[in-house]
């Protein structure tokens, strides 16, 4: 059997025989081999080989003889068989007869044509992109690396042009598919590498525009125009214009047209539901029964081209009539009419605070492919983006449980072929263009059929009169029928007539089954009366927590039971349809059942019992939040405690910072509900609620969380002030100030932090070490605020105070963090030796184990080393910090470290790398901090300026200056103005 050969030219010239690599010998032998491989089985004459191996000045006196010698040696290493010759002599030349596909350049060069063939044959953009991606992965290094002859140089240039074309084609497909939020960064890097490529500049413009950076997209066009003007100065003006496609794209961006894909109105890649990540519809009900006329009416509305919205309301506002079940069932009948899929949201209209339309818009924008950093903060801009993305799609939007017209109206697309289906208890008469369907109770035959499908048709057939009496007593409301039928299904030995007798016993209430909500209440009462005492207690207490759902461990704490027995009780309630569980280990109520359960808690429970349950849950959540805080920072939990308030629960423990953050994030609504309850119920320890607010602030990153923390901290502080609780007020004013600092509200932050310190000072030494730590953190945050606002001397005073307080309370990790911040301010005072000493000491104190604190210490050290002009060591430390921040999922410090690394690249003259790093971290910064966004824009501008992209550099600097000025970052604003003034 002949050996199988494989050759690579995309990198050093290499060869394999039967997957064993061959040593090819001298560079000139490799040159000869590369020429023969490049000829693709054709014969190459001796003179042509010689011209490809040597420049004229370097050619040996007898080049033909030298070529023959290299061929002889190649035959030796490749193996020569007279029966199946590989390297053949043909006339005065040679031919290398290797099979098609044995050389990596062959597949590389055919990839773009193959991708076009895939699209022409009806293949998807993803399939075409996969082909291009596979080809580009073959490029391991510079082609023919180490070879310097004329053929190698020409071949390198040719293959680089092929690579450029493959990259252009792949990025255009990336833009069409729309699943690359970082596309503008890669396109920017490639524009630097291939500045003459207008295809790449077009992708860069489109990607920036899709990311909400319209001004930068237009600046790319201006830079392109100037580049062509300079490069093609020998041509007349008409020949120096950007190409027609780029000019058209420029005009579309100027007009702010929606452009979801490259080269025109293309959609992002579709999943089985159309839009990437689109929510599937909620699962349908297996035993959905009847409603044929209503289903036909709804499906007719949804498939009518003129339909914009359909509102489903229950007759006389009766709940439990089956609005959601009908809407989901009808929607599933028309999915083929909406090829781009479905969007679904439960608007929680029955909650005390229904879901805000802006929150739903943000969720829908993410589903439609918009990155978090691209979602506008402004409500009108968010609405405009949503409607522009919906304009050319065919989507079904199902809005369940709406509260009002105002909640729904922003979620209705402005134009296009989509449809909106809304369910609500009320008739939404103010919803423009809506068609209304009034849903009545079930006809008697359908109600009987529903009962039979749940309890068993044989049981209804055995007792037809009793079955009819049951559904009549339920008022033929589907929800009521389901609850009663669940009870009967759980008791297969109980005759239906027994249920009829129980209903008769409740005649005074059951007589009102057809007149409103009491009909549902009576039905719920039937199941509630059959609960065991433990089931009833769990049912009542679970309903009192003002959160969408409750996890198993929180439920166990609330009930004062172990998780296993709690799960058994709650799952029994799920079986009875009194509690729902859409995810394992999490429990929630239908909104009507929750109202009923709370009413029963008021009737059958006791205020002391309810308060005791909340006290247990608060204690458990605080103990767990403390563990999460310690895990995310890898420090002694006692050191993280700023006030001395005990807990009795063990709480959960976490094996990683990510697990801790995940738990805190999922239980945000529960923790917020507990804090609000503690503010309203004086029997609950307010200090625990204050400490819980602090833990939420410590563990959960991002401005979205900090906004909620600020509101809750202010609430607790106000209640604490009214109750004379200085300790809780001091802590929550510190938390409020710290969170305000992270949102760049520096003046407000300073006010809250100074009030916190004053409260601690008034309390004297009563707080002990905890009080010292609290004052230390307040001083440290004031230090950072003064530094940002250019008040360096004041920053040093606060920093030194923080170090003293942490040292006195033996909080070593906190002291290390404070030394890092203080060191940076020493450096600004040009006390460089002191700065370096403090930063290095701080990095040692924060510990050796991977943690947020260690990462912050490395980050501070890197900043100081940069100011000390030790760029290499600063870069090394910054990279260490960045890896830690990434592993610990701390986006704000990822962006901060990215800005520092970009500045270090600028300082070292690595301008292309500076621009690349800044582009990479800008999306992260936009979701965390305006100051960081401005810092990265400034670093990006400095890199772009040196790369000749001056128009975009100016745009970035102007945007950075605006952000710095808005946040009163005076020193940074002054530096940015100087850069603008000096822009060449």
């Amino acid at each position: 059997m002949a050996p199988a050969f494989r050759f690579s030219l995309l990198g050093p010239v290499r060869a394999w025989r039967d997957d064993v690599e061959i040593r090819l010998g001298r560079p000139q032998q490799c040159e000869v081999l590369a020429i023969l491989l490049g000829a693709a089985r054709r014969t190459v004459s001796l003179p042509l080989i010689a011209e490809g191996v040597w420049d004229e000045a370097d050619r040996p006196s007898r080049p033909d003889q030298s070529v023959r010698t290299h061929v002889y040696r190649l035959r030796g290493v490749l193996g020569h068989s007279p029966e199946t010759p590989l390297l053949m002599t043909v006339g005065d030349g040679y031919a290398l007869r290797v099979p098609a596909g044995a050389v990596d350049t062959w597949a590389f060069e055919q990839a773009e044509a193959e991708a076009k063939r895939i699209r022409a044959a009806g293949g998807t953009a993803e399939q075409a992109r996969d082909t291009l991606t596979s080809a580009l992965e073959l490029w391991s290094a510079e082609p023919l690396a180490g070879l310097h002859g004329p053929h190698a140089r020409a071949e390198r240039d040719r293959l680089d042009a092929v690579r450029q074309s493959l990259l252009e084609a792949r990025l255009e497909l990336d833009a069409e598919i729309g699943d690359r939020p970082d596309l503008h960064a890669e396109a920017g890097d490639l524009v630097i590498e291939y500045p003459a490529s207008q295809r790449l500049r077009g992708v860069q413009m489109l990607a920036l525009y899709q990311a909400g950076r319209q001004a930068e997209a237009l600046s790319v066009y201006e830079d392109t125009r100037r580049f062509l003007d300079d490069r093609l100065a020998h041509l007349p003006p008409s020949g120096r214009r950007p190409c027609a496609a780029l000019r058209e794209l420029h005009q579309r961006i100027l007009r702010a047209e929606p452009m979801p894909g490259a080269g025109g109105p293309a959609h992002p890649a579709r999943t089985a539901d159309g839009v990437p990540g689109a929510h599937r519809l909620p699962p349908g009900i297996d035993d959905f029964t009847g409603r044929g006329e209503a289903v036909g009416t709804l499906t007719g509305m949804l498939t009518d081209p003129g339909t914009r919205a359909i509102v489903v309301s229950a007759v006389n506002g009766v709940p439990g009539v089956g609005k959601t079940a009908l809407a989901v069932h009808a929607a599933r009948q028309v999915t083929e009419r909406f090829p781009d899929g479905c969007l679904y949201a439960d608007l929680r209209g029955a909650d005390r605070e229904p879901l805000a339309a802006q929150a739903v818009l943000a969720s829908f924008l993410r589903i439609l492919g918009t990155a978090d950093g691209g979602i506008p903060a402004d409500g009108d801009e968010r609405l405009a983006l949503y409607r522009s993305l919906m304009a050319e799609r065919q989507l079904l939007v199902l809005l369940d449980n709406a509260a009002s017209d105002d909640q729904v109206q922003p979620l209705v697309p402005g134009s296009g072929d989509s449809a909106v289906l809304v369910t609500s208890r009320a008739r939404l008469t103010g919803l423009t263009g809506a068609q209304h369907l009034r849903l009545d109770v079930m006809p008697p035959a359908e109600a009987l059929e529903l009962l039979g499908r749940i309890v068993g048709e044989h049981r209804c057939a055995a007792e037809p009169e009793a079955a009819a009496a049951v559904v009549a007593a339920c008022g033929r409301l589907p929800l009521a029928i389901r609850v009663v039928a669940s009870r009967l299904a759980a008791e297969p030995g109980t005759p239906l007539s027994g249920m009829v007798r129980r209903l008769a016993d409740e005649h005074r209430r059951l007589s009102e089954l057809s007149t409103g909500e009491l009909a549902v209440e009576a039905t719920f009462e039937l199941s509630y009366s059959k609960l065991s005492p433990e089931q009833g207690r769990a049912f009542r207490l679970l309903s009192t927590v003002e959160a969408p759902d409750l996890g198993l461990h929180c439920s166990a704490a609330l009930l004062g039971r172990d998780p296993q027995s709690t799960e058994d009780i709650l799952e029994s309630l799920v079986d009875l349809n009194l509690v729902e569980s859409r995810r394992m280990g999490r429990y929630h109520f239908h909104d009507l059942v929750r109202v009923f359960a709370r009413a029963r808690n008021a009737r059958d429970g006791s205020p002391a019992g309810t308060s005791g349950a909340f006290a247990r849950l608060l204690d458990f959540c605080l103990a767990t939040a403390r563990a999460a805080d310690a895990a995310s920072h890898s420090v002694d939990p006692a050191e993280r405690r700023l006030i001395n308030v005990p807990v009795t629960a063990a709480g959960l423990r976490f094996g990683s910072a990510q697990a801790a953050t995940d738990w805190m994030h999922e239980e945000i609504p529960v923790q917020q509900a507990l804090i609000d309850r503690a503010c309203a119920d004086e029997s609950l320890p307010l200090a625990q609620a204050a400490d819980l607010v602090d833990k939420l602030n410590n563990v959960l990153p991002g401005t979205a969380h900090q906004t909620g923390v600020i509101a809750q901290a202010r609430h607790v502080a106000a209640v604490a002030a009214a109750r004379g609780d200085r300790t809780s007020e001091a802590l929550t004013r510190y938390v409020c100030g710290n969170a305000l600092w992270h949102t760049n509200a520096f003046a407000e932050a300073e006010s809250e932090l100074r009030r916190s310190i004053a409260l601690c000072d008034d309390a004297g030494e009563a707080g002990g070490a905890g009080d010292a730590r609290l004052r230390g953190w307040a001083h440290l945050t004031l230090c950072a605020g003064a530094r940002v606002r250019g008040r360096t001397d004041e920053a040093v005073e606060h920093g030194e105070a923080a170090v003293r307080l942490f040292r006195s309370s033996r909080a070593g990790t906190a002291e290390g963090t404070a030394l890092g911040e203080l060191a940076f301010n020493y450096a600004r005072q040009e006390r460089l030796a002191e700065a370096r000493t403090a930063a290095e000491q701080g990095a040692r104190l924060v510990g050796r184990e991977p943690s947020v604190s260690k990462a912050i210490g490395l980050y501070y050290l890197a900043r100081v080393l940069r100011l000390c002009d030790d760029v290499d060591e600063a870069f090394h430390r910054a990279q260490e910090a960045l890896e830690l921040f990434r592993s610990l999922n701390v986006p704000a410090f990822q962006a901060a470290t990215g800005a520092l690394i970009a500045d270090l690249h600028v300082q070292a003259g690595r301008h292309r790398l500076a621009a690349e790093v800044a582009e990479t971290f800008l999306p992260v910064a936009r979701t965390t901090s305006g100051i960081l966004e401005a810092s990265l824009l400034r670093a990006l501008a400095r890199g772009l300026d040196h790369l000749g992209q001056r128009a975009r550099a100016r745009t970035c600097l102007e945007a950075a200056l605006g952000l710095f000025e808005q946040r009163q970052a005076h020193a940074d604003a002054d530096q940015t103005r100087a850069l603008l003034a000096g822009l060449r």
Side-chain angles (χ1 to χ4, degrees), residues 447-480:
L448 278 170
E449 181 184 357
L450 175 59
L451 178 67
R453 294 186 70 172
I454 298 173
V455 304
E457 293 178 359
H458 64 286
R459 294 175 71 183
C460 290
E463 298 181 84
E465 294 180 359
V470 168
V471 297
C474 291
R476 305 196 310 275
L477 288 170
L479 181 60

Side-chain angles (χ1 to χ4, degrees), residues 3-8 12-26 29-30 33 37 73-80 86 96 98 102:
F5 285 92
R6 200 159 46 85
F7 299 90
S8 174
V13 178
R14 302 172 69 188
W16 293 263
R17 180 176 52 233
D18 292 333
D19 292 329
V20 177
E21 186 164 5
I22 302 167
R23 297 185 62 179
L24 293 173
R26 300 175 181 178
Q29 281 176 213
C30 294
L33 178 61
L37 288 171
R73 289 172 176 164
L74 280 172
R75 281 174 171 159
V77 296
L78 294 174
H80 181 65
L86 183 67
L96 192 61
V98 296

Side-chain angles (χ1 to χ4, degrees), residues 897-960:
T897 311
L900 173 59
I901 290 172
D903 285 335
L904 286 166
H905 283 315
V906 170
Q907 194 167 339
R910 300 186 290 260
H911 301 295
R912 178 179 170 183
L913 285 173
E916 179 182 332
V917 170
E919 283 277 26
T920 299
F921 287 97
L922 263 172
V924 182
R926 286 196 166 94
T927 66
T928 53
S929 166
I931 290 286
L932 293 177
E933 180 184 351
S935 299
L936 283 160
L937 283 168
R938 182 173 61 195
L940 175 59
R942 295 174 72 187
L944 292 173
D945 180 32
H946 284 84
L947 295 169
Q949 299 184 34
R950 298 183 188 93
R952 190 174 167 214
R954 181 173 294 278
T955 300
C956 291
L957 283 175
E958 289 170 347

Side-chain angles (χ1 to χ4, degrees), residues 546-609:
E546 195 69 59
D549 63 1
L550 207 60
L552 176 60
H553 290 283
C554 287
S555 300
L558 183 78
L559 300 179
R561 302 180 67 97
D562 63 273
Q564 183 59 59
S565 64
T566 300
E567 185 176 32
D568 291 343
I569 291 172
L570 296 183
E571 288 297 329
S572 72
L573 293 173
V574 170
D575 290 341
L576 294 171
N577 286 333
L578 290 174
V579 171
E580 298 179 25
S581 179
R582 292 178 187 165
R583 285 198 297 132
M584 184 177 293
R586 298 202 71 82
Y587 301 92
H588 68 281
F589 287 90
H590 181 282
D591 47 22
L592 298 174
V593 181
R594 182 193 295 275
V595 170
F596 171 84
R598 287 175 177 172
R600 289 300 167 269
N601 190 60
R603 187 190 72 183
D604 301 336
S606 69

Side-chain angles (χ1 to χ4, degrees), residues 216-254:
E216 288 183 63
L218 295 172
S219 297
V220 170
Y221 182 83
E222 180 63 20
D223 282 328
T224 305
R225 189 187 62 75
R226 291 181 179 175
F227 172 82
L228 295 174
D229 229 19
D230 293 342
R231 175 68 67 90
L232 306 176
H234 59 286
L235 296 178
S238 60
R240 302 198 297 266
R241 299 171 64 197
C243 66
L246 208 62
R247 295 199 304 271
E248 180 184 356
L249 179 60
H250 178 239
Q251 290 300 312
R252 295 183 70 189
I253 292 174
L254 283 171

Side-chain angles (χ1 to χ4, degrees), residues 524-531 539-540 600 603-604:
F524 292 156
E525 186 68 41
L526 293 173
S527 288
Y528 176 73
S529 65
K530 299 291 289 183
L531 296 179
F539 177 66
R540 295 190 303 270
R600 289 300 167 269
R603 187 190 72 183
D604 301 336

Side-chain angles (χ1 to χ4, degrees), residues 306-365:
T307 297
R308 285 186 66 237
I310 302 93
V311 178
V312 181
S313 61
V315 62
N316 296 326
V318 175
V321 79
K323 303 179 293 295
T324 298
L326 172 68
V328 171
H329 186 77
R332 288 184 171 275
Q333 307 304 304
V334 296
T335 51
E336 292 184 1
R337 162 72 174 77
F338 302 96
D340 289 314
C342 305
L343 298 174
Y344 170 79
D346 178 3
L347 301 184
R348 291 159 47 183
D351 286 11
R352 292 180 184 176
E353 294 186 13
L355 201 60
Q358 289 297 322
V360 181
L361 283 175
S363 175
F364 282 178
L365 287 173

